[in-house]
Amino acid sequence: MSEHAPRAADMPPPRDASGLSQGAMRVIFTGTYRWLLASALRLRLTPFQLTLLSLVTNILVGVLLARGAFLAAGLLLIPAGVFDVLDGAVARHLGRASRAGAFLDSFLDRISDLIVFGTLTLVLAGEGRSLEASLALVALVVSLSVSHVRAEAEAAGVPLTAGLMQRMERAIAIVLGLLIPGGLVVALAVLAGLGAVTLVQRAWMAVAGAGK
């Protein structure tokens, strides 16, 4: 890394992705992304530290959800998502990207999903909100299944990154659902429905790719 402090203007833009919101997010938040990446580099945060920060923040989100503090949980999910984005970005910028790091990041992302959606399912079920609890459970199962299909496809030599509901879209949906009064059932329905579409989409692409 240069001896000069990293500047936002020198940082690369976010990587291209295929999710529903990626085009809009790239246009709207590129400047913020560059500033956050430069800040992380100035603070000398390592990819591993950022990954752990994301996990710890998601654990705190789970605690807040268990206490019924949905608004606070939604707000705390924002820095959790930022840490999740930055760990890979910092690793690539420093030339430290590795298969081991990618595996650890993916594994802890799944743990975070289990914490957030698992806790949300239990809390909603305990409050007698059966529809929301069912949707949260479906969203969790679909999220884990989408990641599993990708892992199995890549193990078979089929690169698989496409899909309507990527991690960014899931994060945006659950944050909005927790922050907007009455929005949770809509957010969970979107996560469950479009997540299922993404699962079918990736499974089809995996089978088609493996057959070539």
Side-chain angles (χ1 to χ4, degrees):
M1 186 166 58
S2 170
E3 62 182 15
H4 301 293
R7 300 185 307 166
D10 298 329
M11 297 297 103
R15 292 190 303 174
D16 289 327
S18 59
L20 283 173
S21 70
Q22 293 301 323
M25 291 300 101
R26 188 178 179 88
V27 171
I28 296 170
F29 292 116
T30 292
T32 302
Y33 169 87
R34 285 172 163 158
W35 179 82
L36 289 168
L37 177 55
S39 298
L41 292 169
R42 281 196 296 269
L43 292 170
R44 298 185 182 277
L45 292 172
T46 67
F48 182 65
Q49 288 170 338
L50 288 162
T51 299
L52 286 184
L53 281 171
S54 179
L55 175 63
V56 170
T57 310
N58 276 296
I59 291 172
L60 294 175
V61 168
V63 172
L64 291 171
L65 289 173
R67 295 182 175 180
F70 285 11
L71 179 61
L75 291 172
L76 195 57
L77 274 172
I78 296 173
V82 169
F83 295 141
D84 184 43
V85 169
L86 288 179
D87 58 2
V90 168
R92 290 188 296 274
H93 188 84
L94 297 178
R96 298 182 187 175
S98 66
R99 295 180 63 181
F103 170 79
L104 179 63
D105 181 45
S106 178
F107 173 71
L108 293 182
D109 281 348
R110 304 291 80 74
I111 298 298
S112 294
D113 286 343
L114 280 168
I115 292 169
V116 173
F117 287 99
T119 303
L120 194 55
T121 299
L122 293 174
V123 170
L124 293 171
E127 293 179 353
R129 298 163 66 177
S130 300
L131 176 59
E132 290 101 320
S134 298
L135 289 172
L137 180 59
V138 172
L140 172 60
V141 172
V142 166
S143 174
L144 297 177
S145 299
V146 166
S147 299
H148 180 70
V149 167
R150 177 179 177 178
E152 291 292 335
E154 292 182 347
V158 181
L160 198 60
T161 58
L164 289 176
M165 286 294 285
Q166 305 271 4
R167 190 163 182 81
M168 174 67 76
E169 285 76 23
R170 295 200 302 271
I172 292 171
I174 193 62
V175 166
L176 292 177
L178 291 169
L179 295 182
I180 299 174
L184 185 56
V185 65
V186 176
L188 291 173
V190 169
L191 285 166
L194 293 184
V197 171
T198 302
L199 176 60
V200 173
Q201 180 186 16
R202 282 196 172 182
W204 176 263
M205 294 174 66
V207 171
K212 292 182 180 179

